Amino acid sequence: DTAVSQTPKYLVTQMGNDKSIKCEQNLGHDTMYWYKQDSKKFLKIMFSYNNKELIINETVPNRFSPKSPDKAHLNLHINSLELGDSAVYFCASSLQGGTGPHGYTFGSGTRLTVV
Amino acid sequence: AQTVTQSQPEMSVQEAETVTLSCTYDTSESDYYLFWYKQPPSRQMILVIRQEAYKQQNATENRFSVNFQKAAKSFSLKISDSQLGDAAMYFCAYSANSGYALNFGKGTSLLVTP
């Protein structure tokens, strides 16, 4: 059973396109996140949602828009893709904002390549 | 803002030996959580160990243990009896009690040699 699943695992697209990455968790967690891992492996928070409400919205271009239809899903939509958006995007979830006994659980990542 | 610093971009250890990865952090909070995550080449983020700041006892998980020094804001990871499968990128991370976010260090790449 996959705890946090995100699709697709790989995404290659042209500049200017619009794309979405989907994320679902079956852990009963109340908080979900999107992280971006750049080419130097640095991981940075983009968004966090608690019970479908936006809690954290870091300095991210408006072209990135998260959508949480329910507590178990957090999707990431990206408009007008740019070369600099190429990265690995991780979805994660947690209980009680990360203070639960298992911390944060991550999906396997989506490698986005913009050409 | 909380910052996490990993001063060792790369470390190397021989199989069966012990290695310690360093991590320091900066915070004005008194209640927080610290984590070590492992990222092998498969890129999956795997929780290695977790420490609550209010607990004085250092966390241990089998061959992995931490040295948590709250006053010094230091949180090092010790890997005993290193195995080839331990080779990975290791990230130290911080989460405030009410933070709803995990702040990562830049990572330490661990190489395990036979």
Side-chain angles (χ1 to χ4, degrees), chain A residues 67-114:
Chain A
K67 283 188 171 52
S68 181
D70 54 57
K71 284 197 307 183
H73 295 84
L74 180 62
N75 304 322
L76 183 65
H77 189 76
I78 315 170
N79 290 327
S80 303
L81 278 155
E82 300 177 357
L83 293 177
D85 297 332
S86 295
V88 179
Y89 292 85
F90 283 96
C91 178
S93 71
S94 72
L95 199 57
Q96 302 161 355
T99 60
H102 302 293
Y104 298 71
T105 303
F106 284 79
S108 56
T110 296
R111 179 176 293 281
L112 171 65
T113 304
V114 183

Side-chain angles (χ1 to χ4, degrees), chain B residues 72-84:
Chain B
K73 295 181 183 174
S74 170
F75 183 60
S76 60
L77 174 70
K78 185 170 86 171
I79 306 174
S80 304
D81 186 25
S82 296
Q83 300 175 359
L84 293 177

Side-chain angles (χ1 to χ4, degrees), chain B residues 6-57:
Chain B
Q6 294 179 249
S7 58
Q8 306 152 317
E10 292 180 349
M11 290 285 283
S12 182
V13 63
Q14 277 196 318
E15 233 180 328
E17 296 297 308
T18 296
V19 65
T20 299
L21 308 184
S22 302
C23 173
T24 58
Y25 58 94
D26 185 28
T27 183
S28 57
E29 305 274 343
S30 60
D31 194 12
Y32 50 86
Y33 296 77
L34 296 163
F35 305 83
W36 279 98
Y37 277 86
K38 170 185 177 181
Q39 186 179 40
S42 67
R43 83 170 180 239
Q44 181 70 48
M45 294 291 289
I46 301 165
L47 177 63
V48 175
I49 204 162
R50 172 181 177 270
Q51 173 82 44
E52 295 100 327
Y54 63 85
K55 287 189 177 178
Q56 291 187 337
Q57 187 173 6

Side-chain angles (χ1 to χ4, degrees), chain A residues 9 31 33 35 37 41-43 48 50 56 90 97 99-102 104 106-109, chain B residues 33 35 37 39 43-45 47 50 89 91 95-97 99-106:
Chain A
K9 292 193 184 323
T31 310
Y33 311 82
Y35 281 85
Q37 186 172 41
K41 302 283 191 181
F42 183 59
L43 281 146
S48 69
N50 176 252
I56 287 178
F90 283 96
T99 60
H102 302 293
Y104 298 71
F106 284 79
S108 56
Chain B
Y33 296 77
F35 305 83
Y37 277 86
Q39 186 179 40
R43 83 170 180 239
Q44 181 70 48
M45 294 291 289
L47 177 63
R50 172 181 177 270
M89 188 74 117
F91 292 97
S95 175
N97 192 24
Y100 290 95
L102 200 52
N103 296 309
F104 286 92
K106 291 188 176 181

